[in-house]
Amino acid sequence: MILASIEDYRTLARKRLPHFLFEYIDGGAFSETTLRNNQRDLQHIALRQRVLRDVSNITTTTRLFGQEFKLPLGLSPVGIAGLNARRGEVQAAQAAEAAGVPFCLSTVSACSIDEVRAGVNHPVWFQLYMIRDRGFLHEMLNRAKAAGTSTLLFTVDMPVPATRYRDMRSGLSSGHLWQRKLTRVGQVLRRPRWAWDVGLMGRPHSLGNIAPILGEQAGIDEFWAWLGNNFDPRVTWADIDRIRSEWDGHFVIKGILDAEDARQAKSIGCDGLIVSNHGGRQLDGALSSIKALPAIADAVGNDLSLILDSGIRSGLDIVRALALGARMVMIGRPWVYALAARQKKGVEEILDIFARELRVAMALSGCTRLEDITPAILAS
């Protein structure tokens, strides 16, 4: 199979993963309207094609949160992504480091922050939820600091988990406990390659950062139970403000879709915002991230660095997002598809695809630097 685009890696991931894992990655909330709109709305943004300009020397480097990156692209935090390949988050972090882009580890990763940090030369970004167990939250802040993390992404769009029909149907989150277990075992047996690489050789399956709470033998069912019990619907801006005061590094709020919320985030002294609808996995019917971006960019001006995630599938999408006010984009599903399809090599390959497509899109729209990508390159 020739792997030319992100969709090709998605197809291969579907063939290689147990059904419940693929559906967890690929699915969204309820009818998945927002999930579909994230990509559709990006594709409807037209660019001005410019010709006869010297585009022989294109630069894609950028500087954000005190670091220089080779691309305006990062790897978003994705829960239990490490189950998609052997010690998967470590492999993905290594691929990101080799490509000169940031990798952000999820609170609910399969590999712990200590394991991931030991596998790379430089600290990674870390994502945290506001959860009921404040002791665990503060412990994770301290562990992130000890691992040298300087950029914290705080996710705010998940006070309660949304209903995801695909997870219910796949045996991941609905039905009697033993029914779910037997369903998943049957799916694993139909994927012997994954069963060997991840199921057997990828042990221990200790749910990384939350293993100290759940125990080393806890599995997916215990994970879901803990997760459901620990999201905190009482969280307010005052709680986020307190966390900000405890973190002396760069503080980025993830999950902003509304200009008023963006202004509130600015008032507590965060360094950046991630314009995101959780990949269409939370409020179905919410704006696509790219539709929400212009109003948020107007609301915060140049005071905060804006990052966009949800729906990015090509280098062309990166140009579209930057033209509407983002400084960087982040990808979630694409890197997990690639990890499942071809492990670390797959992640390296899709990062190369994004880089090549970005350069082509810049050249054909007459841009040689990221600073040239402004609203002026958009077709009316």
Side-chain angles (χ1 to χ4, degrees):
M1 179 179 180
I2 296 175
L3 300 170
S5 70
I6 302 306
E7 183 61 27
D8 296 330
Y9 286 87
R10 176 182 178 272
T11 299
L12 189 52
R14 186 172 209 155
K15 294 177 180 178
R16 294 189 171 176
L17 287 176
H19 180 65
F20 71 92
L21 269 182
F22 179 80
E23 293 294 270
Y24 172 71
I25 299 165
D26 200 58
F30 292 97
S31 63
E32 302 187 345
T33 300
T34 298
L35 171 64
R36 292 188 296 273
N37 288 348
N38 279 332
Q39 292 185 59
R40 186 202 65 183
D41 291 346
L42 273 161
Q43 291 166 2
H44 286 172
I45 297 171
L47 304 176
R48 296 171 62 195
Q49 178 174 294
R50 305 303 304 275
V51 299
L52 300 177
R53 297 187 169 204
D54 183 355
V55 290
S56 59
N57 186 19
I58 289 177
T59 302
T60 62
T61 57
T62 189
R63 189 167 184 82
L64 194 66
F65 308 136
Q67 296 177 271
E68 186 170 286
F69 302 108
K70 293 182 180 178
L71 296 170
L73 171 69
L75 273 57
S76 287
V78 178
I80 60 173
L83 295 183
N84 294 283
R86 188 189 308 181
R87 316 313 296 167
E89 285 110 353
V90 176
Q91 293 195 54
Q94 292 170 342
E97 185 170 76
V101 301
F103 171 86
C104 186
L105 185 70
S106 170
T107 299
V108 291
S109 56
C111 302
S112 72
I113 189 170
D114 307 293
E115 180 183 356
V116 173
R117 177 65 185 91
V120 293
N121 295 318
H122 304 288
V124 298
W125 292 3
F126 187 67
Q127 174 268 341
L128 195 59
Y129 292 106
M130 178 65 82
I131 55 179
R132 292 179 188 269
D133 186 344
R134 297 294 200 264
F136 173 75
L137 186 148
H138 292 294
E139 177 189 340
M140 284 311 309
L141 280 174
N142 290 331
R143 287 177 66 184
K145 291 176 184 178
T149 297
S150 61
T151 301
L152 180 73
L153 274 58
F154 208 96
T155 298
V156 296
D157 60 359
M158 207 166 180
V160 295
T163 299
R164 300 171 188 169
Y165 296 144
R166 291 210 221 179
D167 290 348
M168 297 171 69
R169 296 174 182 134
S170 72
L172 187 62
S173 66
S174 186
H176 188 274
L177 175 61
W178 286 105
Q179 181 185 31
R180 295 199 304 270
K181 288 182 179 290
L182 288 173
T183 297
R184 294 197 300 265
V185 167
Q187 294 171 11
V188 168
L189 292 176
R190 289 191 286 272
R191 295 290 187 268
R193 179 174 182 163
W194 182 93
W196 172 259
D197 179 57
V198 182
L200 292 176
M201 303 305 293
R203 294 180 177 179
H205 302 150
S206 60
L207 298 174
N209 300 310
I210 61 175
I213 295 176
L214 297 183
E216 296 294 327
Q217 302 306 313
I220 285 180
D221 293 295
E222 292 81 5
F223 163 73
W224 284 119
W226 178 88
L227 207 59
N229 290 330
N230 270 283
F231 285 117
D232 192 348
R234 301 166 301 176
V235 174
T236 68
W237 284 105
D239 297 296
I240 305 301
D241 196 14
R242 282 192 289 271
I243 295 297
R244 176 61 185 113
S245 68
E246 295 180 31
W247 182 258
D248 53 9
H250 298 286
F251 189 80
V252 182
I253 294 182
K254 181 178 184 290
I256 298 295
L257 281 182
D258 187 89
E260 186 174 343
D261 287 338
R263 284 188 285 266
Q264 185 72 42
K266 176 181 171 181
S267 73
I268 69 168
C270 66
D271 300 291
L273 299 178
I274 300 184
V275 179
S276 169
N277 53 43
H278 218 99
R281 297 165 70 83
Q282 279 298 101
L283 178 59
D284 197 31
L287 281 177
S288 66
S289 293
I290 196 66
K291 280 283 182 96
L293 177 60
I296 292 173
D298 288 342
V300 302
N302 295 321
D303 295 329
L304 298 179
S305 295
L306 296 183
I307 300 172
L308 181 131
D309 89 354
S310 305
I312 299 293
R313 293 294 183 274
S314 68
L316 183 58
D317 288 340
I318 299 176
V319 171
R320 289 163 167 151
L322 268 56
L324 287 173
R327 290 276 308 280
M328 175 180 278
V329 304
M330 297 191 81
I331 54 171
R333 290 182 180 90
W335 76 259
V336 183
Y337 293 148
L339 181 70
R342 286 173 55 77
Q343 303 194 38
K344 180 170 75 171
K345 186 173 180 59
V347 182
E348 293 171 343
E349 289 168 351
I350 64 124
L351 289 173
D352 184 59
I353 288 172
F354 275 107
R356 286 187 280 108
E357 291 177 345
L358 171 61
R359 291 187 179 92
V360 169
M362 289 175 65
L364 296 181
S365 56
C367 301
T368 59
R369 306 171 305 149
L370 298 182
E371 293 81 4
D372 299 332
I373 305 175
T374 69
I377 74 165
L378 300 175
S380 58

